Amino acid sequence: LGLSGPPGAGKSTFIECFGKMLTERKYKVSVLAVDPSSSTSGGSLLGDKTRMTELSRDMNAYIRPSPTRGTLGGVTRTTNEAILLCEGGGYDVVLVETVGVGQSEFAVADMVDMFILLLPPAGGDELQGIKRGIIEMADLVAINKADGDLIVPARRIQAEYVSAMKLLRKRSKVWRPKV
């Protein structure tokens, strides 16, 4: 599964919860977390693993943070090979967290079975901020953080994306993207 979304959408939190649910069901889970590299120093924080504290201690989970090192598309130059190594190593589920979202951070969509766009409910003008390119590639749009005071904005954003998805050309004859 490939996951992308804007900063603060809760990608790492979602992955930790989903990953723990899978390991409790006896699946082996691998997480390939991609972080942006600094254009100045070339360094990267690689902080996703620190936000997945429970999952990182789980014996049935493997988390590998990787810097982009200037590679565009939201993944690293070797993400596809890393996916194959994880599958060959016996991991049942491989989750790939991209650097974030924009118009072109969807290279992962061609590497995975399902591409999920994770969105927060109250980020402003979502349809303007998340451009057509990435929406066209999403197999599933998940509105995250949809609780408490954010339930009403989450339902509004869901309705906006359902409408927007109807305008897009279908990529598959058997799957219609869900929101």
Side-chain angles (χ1 to χ4, degrees):
L1 301 173
L3 292 112
S4 192
K11 295 181 295 293
S12 296
T13 303
F14 175 84
I15 289 171
E16 179 167 57
C17 291
F18 187 57
K20 286 298 292 176
M21 182 196 76
L22 291 169
T23 60
E24 287 168 5
R25 294 180 181 182
K26 307 299 182 219
Y27 289 99
K28 286 185 68 181
V29 176
S30 175
V31 178
L32 303 175
V34 182
D35 279 343
S37 297
S38 167
S39 58
T40 305
S41 69
S44 183
L45 291 176
L46 303 177
D48 290 313
K49 190 171 184 175
T50 62
R51 288 194 296 271
M52 299 180 210
T53 53
E54 285 185 46
L55 191 60
S56 66
R57 290 191 300 257
D58 193 313
M59 295 305 294
N60 285 316
Y62 168 70
I63 301 174
R64 181 175 190 269
S66 300
T68 59
R69 292 192 178 101
T71 302
L72 300 177
V75 292
T76 71
R77 186 178 49 81
T78 58
T79 297
N80 202 47
E81 290 84 354
I83 292 170
L84 295 174
L85 285 170
C86 290
E87 290 174 339
Y91 288 92
D92 304 302
V93 179
V94 180
L95 303 171
V96 182
E97 179 183 358
T98 70
V99 295
V101 74
Q103 282 181 261
S104 59
E105 284 78 19
F106 55 78
V108 72
D110 292 329
M111 301 176 188
V112 296
D113 296 319
M114 177 173 260
F115 178 51
I116 301 168
L117 179 59
L118 201 63
L119 299 173
D125 187 357
E126 280 76 15
L127 289 175
Q128 179 58 30
I130 309 299
K131 300 296 183 182
R132 184 176 178 131
I134 199 162
I135 295 171
E136 290 175 317
M137 300 305 290
D139 297 306
L140 176 68
V141 175
I143 312 301
N144 199 18
K145 302 182 180 184
D147 58 355
D149 293 342
L150 297 176
I151 291 174
V152 172
R155 288 192 178 132
R156 189 187 83 247
I157 296 306
Q158 178 188 18
E160 287 178 15
Y161 271 89
V162 166
S163 294
M165 300 287 276
K166 289 178 185 174
L167 302 174
L168 302 176
R169 185 170 40 113
K170 294 179 190 162
R171 288 183 5 176
S172 169
K173 292 181 190 233
V174 294
W175 177 257
R176 178 177 216 92
K178 309 286 186 220
V179 180

